[in-house]
Amino acid sequence: MEHVNEKRRITPLQWFSWALMVTAPFLLMGLMSLFTGRNMWNSWPVWSNELDCYWVLQNMGVKGAGYNGMYEVIPPVGNQSVLGIAPLIFYGWFVQLFGLSRVTIMLGNCLWMSAGALVFCLVRKPKAQSALMMTLMTLTYAPLALYLGTSMPEAVNYGLLTFYATFLLHYDETRKPWAMWLAVGFALLACLYRIQYVLLFLPLAWQFGGRRFGLKTWIALAVCVILAFICAIVAIWFTAPSIQSFPYHFVHADSLEIAIQQLLSHTKANVMDYFALRGPDRIEQVFRLIYLASILVCLLGTFVHTCREPGKKMRLETGMNTPFLVVSVWLLGSLGIIMLLYETNDWWDFRMLAPVLWLTALCLLMSDRRIAPLCIFFGSLLLTLTLILHEPVGCFADPYRFTEPPKSDALAQAMEVITFDPEAADPFDNTIRTDLRETWQMTDREDGLGFETGWFIEDSVGKSRWILTDMLKVPLEGYKPVFKTEGMAVYQRIEE
């Protein structure tokens, strides 16, 4: 393993390689701007998750702010959206210091990644070759390129996982307790965002237990799982449920038998979709093949691995290689959690597994493994080549991503009617219920107004004070029209 040597002089090449590793996300934004001919920093939030994130930050600290979510289904605590408290944790500090603008989330993502790389370099002091390798991996990692120029919190994953890897590897070498506690802290922070990161505790428990599956390891693993469960409960408290998701329907099943049937059916559908490779986009297909190939390489490394003794040639050895076993469980477990609880369509598995594979390459490379991370790197290059040759996809295909979306005069007039009440006791009094999608996305509004989105159905309308729509699609009682024009209408709840 690459280790910290305080007496070893840091060469100019090392300093240069570290600088590249720290600035890699900013370099990637520049390279994408040059390659596409568009300023990636001039990116408008147009996806629903981007807008959720932006609105949560816009309403941060506003007294009486409305709810952000879907179908007027609210979180147990607070008024956060389906993204939960993650936007406040990741970007709230930045908004407090510099205010909110269209570049806030993108800049925050880059800063999270740069901060993780900076701490990694200062603590681990990687060799120039390894730092350059990880920089090249970052610059050519297609999943990162597809989301770094958006206001999605996807890139934060890479920063969090870099912090985690820093302290995990440092504890592995030095056995210093502070490194273990920091690794646990960043693992818990990651679990607040995505519960799949509960698997980050597996290598932590393994290291804490002396690199063997003894009683100490199992106790450490049990404690970590309990902590992760607490994090999941906290995240649920502050997250607006998505009634279109499988977890929502699974939890609200009428009986245990129905819940089990739903779980089996959902998992079967995901497995068939994942391995069929017919439905998803070509980019998703190639990534799935690379991910599965990486699992096979790590499983092979579990039983067959290379060994080099000083002064001798590299040779193959057989036997159990526990680090590779842990990595294999990490890769397989992450895929399993997604198949059980999430989706393998609409880029879900792509977004959630991409940081997992990237962390795998980082940890293996910094643990003096070469073949496995090189295989992942060449797979990453293949995916990048596919992205380059592919027709524009993702953020690169959005028609209004890099030009200001057109604003409707009727919509602007409608938004002038909707007012914010700072004295409201109920957040729904400052909430807009709407089924409009694209034309209103960047419309100016008062800070504090929340948006509840989704198609109108009778049992999802009636709580919000304001309704903004093109035309009513369900019977509506308890509301009065306050604005109407061609293709736009606003209704206000009648106060009792």
Side-chain angles (χ1 to χ4, degrees), residues 123 163-188 200-211 216-217 220-221 223-224 227:
V123 174
F163 278 111
Y164 165 82
T166 300
F167 301 116
L168 170 67
L169 295 172
H170 199 66
Y171 179 78
D172 180 30
E173 178 193 342
T174 65
R175 317 305 294 178
K176 292 182 178 179
W178 63 265
M180 167 62 75
W181 287 115
L182 285 172
V184 169
F186 279 102
L188 291 174
L200 291 173
F201 294 112
L202 180 62
L204 288 173
W206 168 257
Q207 293 296 341
F208 183 78
R211 304 185 185 93
K216 189 177 179 180
T217 299
L221 186 59
V223 171
C224 288
L227 290 174

Side-chain angles (χ1 to χ4, degrees), residues 219-444:
I219 292 176
L221 186 59
V223 171
C224 288
V225 169
I226 292 172
L227 290 174
F229 179 77
I230 293 173
C231 278
I233 295 299
V234 172
I236 291 173
W237 282 347
F238 291 92
T239 302
S242 174
I243 67 173
Q244 295 175 325
S245 67
F246 170 74
Y248 181 86
H249 293 287
F250 178 70
V251 171
H252 291 83
D254 294 333
S255 66
L256 178 61
E257 181 182 358
I258 293 177
I260 293 175
Q261 290 176 352
Q262 288 179 344
L263 180 64
L264 294 176
S265 177
H266 177 77
T267 304
K268 177 183 176 182
N270 277 341
V271 170
M272 293 178 64
D273 173 75
Y274 193 88
F275 290 98
L277 296 177
R278 290 192 300 268
D281 183 90
R282 182 63 56 84
I283 303 295
E284 295 177 271
Q285 292 176 354
V286 174
F287 177 79
R288 289 179 181 181
L289 292 174
I290 294 169
Y291 192 87
L292 293 173
S294 300
I295 292 176
L296 293 177
V297 169
C298 291
L299 284 174
L300 179 63
T302 302
F303 304 102
V304 180
H305 45 276
T306 59
C307 179
R308 183 195 297 272
E309 297 180 4
K312 296 184 179 180
K313 294 182 179 180
M314 183 180 295
R315 57 187 176 85
L316 289 177
E317 284 190 350
T318 58
M320 181 65 69
N321 187 313
T322 310
F324 269 107
L325 176 62
V326 173
V327 169
S328 300
V329 172
W330 157 250
L331 291 171
L332 282 168
S334 298
L335 178 59
I337 288 175
I338 289 170
M339 288 186 172
L340 284 171
L341 299 178
Y342 295 96
E343 307 291 341
T344 54
N345 55 34
D346 197 25
W347 298 82
W348 269 89
D349 59 294
F350 181 87
R351 292 191 294 115
M352 298 181 73
L353 293 177
V356 172
L357 190 60
W358 187 86
L359 175 65
T360 299
L362 173 63
C363 288
L364 289 176
L365 182 64
M366 298 303 168
S367 299
D368 284 337
R369 272 76 181 184
R370 289 293 180 265
I371 296 178
L374 278 176
C375 290
I376 296 175
F377 172 69
F378 285 121
S380 174
L381 289 180
L382 175 62
L383 185 61
T384 301
L385 180 61
T386 305
L387 178 62
I388 293 173
L389 298 178
H390 196 282
E391 62 182 12
V393 67
C395 68
F396 303 110
D398 294 327
Y400 301 124
R401 168 70 60 179
F402 303 103
T403 57
E404 183 175 359
K407 293 184 179 180
S408 163
D409 291 336
L411 182 57
Q413 295 172 30
M415 291 301 296
E416 290 179 359
V417 175
I418 300 174
T419 58
F420 173 74
D421 180 7
E423 303 301 325
D426 184 355
F428 272 121
D429 290 342
N430 285 317
T431 300
I432 304 169
R433 178 71 171 88
T434 183
D435 61 349
L436 300 181
R437 302 193 62 174
E438 297 182 357
T439 56
W440 52 271
Q441 287 179 339
M442 287 305 296
T443 301
D444 295 331

